[in-house]
């Protein structure tokens, strides 16, 4: 009986572990990342309160911005690792029923549409991303795995 229980627990663990990635392994990107710092043209944005989280799963990026009094906003975008140290976060999707959900969060400084970010530094625990805007701005995001 003990052997059967051990096998059952092992099988259950494999099944549950497999479900978390939901149709696609995306490597170190998978999971929740806190944006710990934002800089614009090298200047740290002191107004940013470390309250934005990027959640990557398969080809979706869910960005959650947490505010005081247990309130938050959630925004969804397509995510793609383009290779060559480049990722795409695309807010180009529209939905006539709830369009605001698919807009880029204001704090992110992303555009509504495709945003191509360069991965400047990458590990399984930290990432440094840069976004070059048409207005001549370079925005840098420092992410830490939660």
């Amino acid at each position: 009986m003990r052997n059967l229980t051990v096998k059952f627990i092992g099988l259950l663990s494999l099944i549950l572990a497999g479900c978390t990635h939901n149709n696609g392994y995306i490597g170190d990107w998978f999971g929740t990342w806190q944006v710990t710092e934002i800089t614009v043209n090298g200047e740290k944005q002191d107004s940013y309160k470390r309250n934005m989280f990027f959640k990557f799963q398969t080809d979706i990026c869910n960005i959650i911005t947490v505010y005081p009094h247990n309130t938050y906003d959630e925004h969804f975008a397509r995510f793609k690792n383009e290779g060559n140290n480049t990722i795409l976060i695309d807010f180009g999707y529209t939905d006539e029923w709830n369009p605001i959900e698919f807009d880029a969060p204001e704090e992110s400084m992303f555009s509504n549409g495709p945003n191509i970010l360069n991965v400047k530094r990458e590990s399984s625990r930290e990432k440094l991303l840069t976004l070059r805007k048409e207005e001549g701005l370079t925005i840098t995001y420092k992410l830490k795995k939660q």
Side-chain angles (χ1 to χ4, degrees):
M1 185 67 157
R2 179 178 164 358
N3 193 23
L4 183 60
T5 303
V6 170
K7 287 182 180 178
F8 176 74
I9 290 172
L11 179 62
L12 185 61
S13 297
L14 284 173
I15 290 170
L16 292 176
C19 292
T20 62
H21 289 268
N22 195 20
N23 295 329
Y25 178 71
I26 58 172
D28 289 340
W29 289 100
F30 179 80
T32 302
W33 297 80
Q34 180 182 16
V35 181
T36 58
E37 183 178 286
I38 298 175
T39 63
V40 177
N41 292 340
E43 291 186 31
K44 183 178 175 182
Q45 300 300 292
D46 292 328
S47 61
Y48 174 65
K49 304 297 182 200
R50 300 173 53 115
N51 62 332
M52 194 167 32
F53 298 84
F54 293 5
K55 297 174 79 173
F56 297 100
Q57 184 172 342
T58 313
D59 64 346
I60 301 295
C61 179
N62 176 9
I63 299 178
I64 299 174
T65 310
V66 180
Y67 302 105
H69 308 295
N70 297 322
T71 59
Y72 66 94
D73 284 333
E74 232 177 334
H75 299 263
F76 295 91
R78 291 229 176 253
F79 162 74
K80 185 175 182 189
N81 187 347
E82 300 277 328
N84 297 326
N85 295 321
T86 303
I87 65 167
L88 171 70
I89 297 179
D90 187 359
F91 288 95
Y93 182 79
T94 58
D95 177 4
E96 64 185 82
W97 301 107
N98 191 8
I100 194 72
E101 184 175 297
F102 301 102
D103 287 346
E106 187 176 326
E107 292 87 345
S108 72
M109 295 182 256
F110 288 139
S111 301
N112 289 328
N115 296 273
I116 298 171
L117 291 98
N118 292 314
V119 181
K120 295 296 185 184
R121 191 172 58 225
E122 178 176 22
S123 75
S124 62
R125 305 298 307 156
E126 292 184 336
K127 298 195 184 300
L128 189 67
L129 310 174
T130 60
L131 172 66
R132 296 193 195 289
K133 303 279 280 185
E134 290 179 8
E135 307 85 54
L137 301 175
T138 299
I139 303 166
T140 303
Y141 306 88
K142 189 175 184 181
L143 280 63
K144 183 176 182 183
K145 185 79 174 241
Q146 297 298 291

